[in-house]
Amino acid sequence: MIALEKKVTVDSIKLEKVVSAIFRAYNLSDEDAIRVAKHLVLANLRGVESHGVVRVKSYIDRLKLNLVESENHIQIEKDFPSFCKVNGGNNLGIIVASKAVELVINKAKATGLACVGVSNSNHCGMLADYTSKIANEGYIGFAVSNAPSSMAPWGAKEMYFGTNPLSYAIPTFTSRNIVFDMATSVVARGKITYALKNNLNIPVGWAIDKHGKMTENPQDALEGSVLPVGGPKGSGLALLVDILSGIVTGAAFGTAVGSMKQNDRKQNVGHFFFAMRPDLFVELDAFKNSIQKLKTEIKNLAKADGVDEILLPGEMEYDLMESRLQNGIPLSTVTVEELSEIAHERGIGFELNN
C-alpha cells in the first residue's frame, strides 16, 4: 500500500493573506482577491478540503489560459423587485456567486422573498458559504449550482449530470445556524482518486465502470461514472439542480457544462439563489421559539448505539472551524508545495507556519 499523504498545520490568517496575494498577482482587484481567499480558507476551516485552497492552482491555471476573466465583468441583465438575472461575465464563480447573494439578500429585505439566477459563471466553491450569509442576515437561504458531467442518471450507464450540489441554511438567531450542504452524488470523484493513489478498493455502490457495471476498482470508476446518492432520489435532485441552475438561468446544463480540466473551453456554470424572510406566515418570535423547540427536541431524542450526540446540519463544521481557527488548518504537503510554487512565480512572500 502506498504511504498516505503527509500533512502540515498552517495558520488560517497567514494562509488567507498568501492566497489573496496570489490572486491579486493575477490581476484580480483587492476586493475580489480577498473575497476568493476568504471563501477558500473558510472551506478548509469547515473541513471541506476538496473546495478549499487545493483549488487555487486550477483557478490560476484557467486565469493564465484566459478561460476565466480576471477583470470583473458581472452584469445584471434583468432586474425586478423580487428577482434578477445575473450574467457572471465568465469571472471566477466565487466572485459571481458572492455578488448574487448580496443581490438576493437586498431584494428579500425589500420584498420578503427573492431569487437570483446566474449564467456564464464558473466553479463557485462551497455553497454553504452563500446560504450561511443569507441566514446570518436572518433569512432562510437556498442555493444550487450545476457542475461538469461526472454522474450517470439513475438507470443510465453514461455520465450526464454533474455532482450538482444544493445547500440550505435556516437562521436560529444564535451563533450557530442550521446549515446543510450536499452533493447529489454518493461521493466526490476526489475520493476515488485518493483510493487510486493509495492502492485501495472503493465500496460497491460508489461508481460504475464504462460498461455500466458496479466496480470496486478506482481506475475503472474514474473511467466510468459516480452514482447518485439514494439512487433515483439523488438522481431526481440532480435533475432539479440542473433545471434551476442551467435551464432556468440560460446557463449550460448536462454535458454542455465545461470541465475545469478542459483547457480550451469555458464552463458557463449556472447558479440559483433564494432568500425568504422567516416571518412571512408566522410572527418572528413564534418562528424563533419553534426553531429552538425543534432543535431541543431533536437533540434530546434517545441516541442510537455508539452515538454521543445527535448533530444538526452544520454543527460538526462549526466545531471543526473553532478548533482550526485556534490550532491551525492541516494541509497536505503537496498543496503547500503547489501554493509555494505559485507564490514564488510572482515574488510573493510565503509564510504559513501556525
Side-chain angles (χ1 to χ4, degrees):
M1 184 179 293
I2 299 172
L4 298 181
E5 212 169 30
K6 292 182 179 179
K7 303 237 177 196
V8 295
T9 302
V10 304
D11 179 77
S12 61
I13 295 176
K14 292 178 180 178
L15 180 61
E16 189 178 303
K17 287 181 178 178
V18 167
V19 173
S20 63
I22 288 172
F23 282 103
R24 277 196 298 272
Y26 283 89
N27 300 321
L28 267 67
S29 68
D30 286 351
E31 180 182 2
D32 286 345
I34 290 170
R35 180 167 285 168
V36 172
K38 283 183 178 295
H39 179 100
L40 295 176
V41 173
L42 177 64
N44 283 106
L45 287 169
R46 288 173 53 88
V48 190
E49 330 301 331
S50 61
H51 288 57
V53 297
V54 70
R55 294 279 180 170
V56 171
K57 184 178 186 304
S58 60
Y59 288 175
I60 293 298
D61 285 346
R62 292 184 70 79
L63 285 166
K64 285 180 177 179
L65 292 169
N66 295 317
L67 292 171
V68 174
E69 297 292 332
S70 57
E71 294 184 9
N72 194 316
H73 295 300
I74 300 170
Q75 294 181 337
I76 299 174
E77 293 184 335
K78 296 181 180 179
D79 195 10
F80 296 88
S82 62
F83 67 92
C84 71
K85 162 70 188 304
V86 172
N87 183 324
N90 194 36
N91 287 122
L92 286 171
I94 293 169
I95 299 169
V96 178
S98 297
K99 175 62 176 178
V101 167
E102 290 176 5
L103 289 167
V104 82
I105 289 172
N106 289 335
K107 288 184 179 296
K109 286 180 178 179
T111 65
L113 73 168
C115 62
V116 174
V118 179
S119 66
N120 197 18
S121 186
N122 290 279
H123 182 270
C124 70
M126 178 182 67
L127 290 184
D129 185 18
Y130 309 117
T131 54
S132 292
K133 283 182 168 66
I134 296 170
N136 287 341
E137 295 291 331
Y139 293 79
I140 295 169
F142 176 74
V144 293
S145 177
N146 61 10
S149 293
S150 62
M151 180 170 71
W154 185 249
K157 64 179 182 181
E158 294 181 77
M159 64 178 69
Y160 185 83
F161 296 132
T163 52
N164 289 12
L166 63 88
S167 174
Y168 68 78
I170 311 296
T172 64
F173 303 95
T174 69
S175 61
R176 294 185 170 200
N177 296 314
I178 297 170
V179 183
F180 180 83
D181 190 350
M182 65 168 277
T184 51
S185 58
V186 172
V187 68
R189 282 173 63 86
K191 289 190 177 181
I192 298 175
T193 303
Y194 176 87
L196 179 65
K197 286 181 178 179
N198 290 278
N199 197 29
L200 300 170
N201 286 336
I202 61 173
V204 173
W206 273 20
I208 54 177
D209 64 19
K210 62 184 178 181
H211 304 294
K213 304 296 184 184
M214 291 285 187
T215 182
E216 296 178 76
N217 184 303
Q219 181 62 56
D220 290 344
L222 290 171
E223 293 174 0
S225 171
V226 296
L227 289 171
V229 63
K233 298 177 182 178
S235 188
L237 288 173
L239 174 62
L240 173 65
V241 171
D242 227 1
I243 290 170
L244 289 177
S245 302
I247 293 177
V248 167
T249 67
F253 60 91
T255 57
V257 180
S259 169
M260 291 184 70
K261 295 180 181 179
Q262 294 170 307
N263 60 13
D264 60 349
R265 181 180 174 189
K266 296 177 181 179
Q267 285 199 279
N268 192 14
V269 170
H271 321 305
F272 183 88
F273 301 95
F274 173 81
M276 183 182 87
R277 280 176 49 176
D279 60 345
L280 292 182
F281 307 107
V282 297
E283 295 296 326
L284 185 58
D285 284 344
F287 176 85
K288 291 180 179 180
N289 292 336
S290 293
I291 285 291
Q292 185 55 49
K293 185 173 186 291
L294 175 77
K295 290 174 58 181
T296 301
E297 288 178 349
I298 290 173
K299 295 187 75 66
N300 287 340
L301 292 171
K303 300 175 184 64
D305 293 345
V307 173
D308 295 325
E309 180 184 4
I310 298 171
L311 296 172
L312 293 168
E315 286 188 317
M316 183 170 63
E317 290 82 0
Y318 278 119
D319 287 342
L320 187 59
M321 183 165 62
E322 289 175 0
S323 173
R324 290 186 172 184
L325 281 170
Q326 182 175 352
N327 302 314
I329 297 172
L331 288 183
S332 74
T333 53
V334 172
T335 299
V336 172
E337 288 168 5
E338 280 184 353
L339 291 174
S340 176
E341 289 176 7
I342 295 169
H344 289 150
E345 280 180 7
R346 294 302 175 106
I348 297 167
F350 193 79
E351 174 57 51
L352 298 178
N353 291 338
N354 189 37

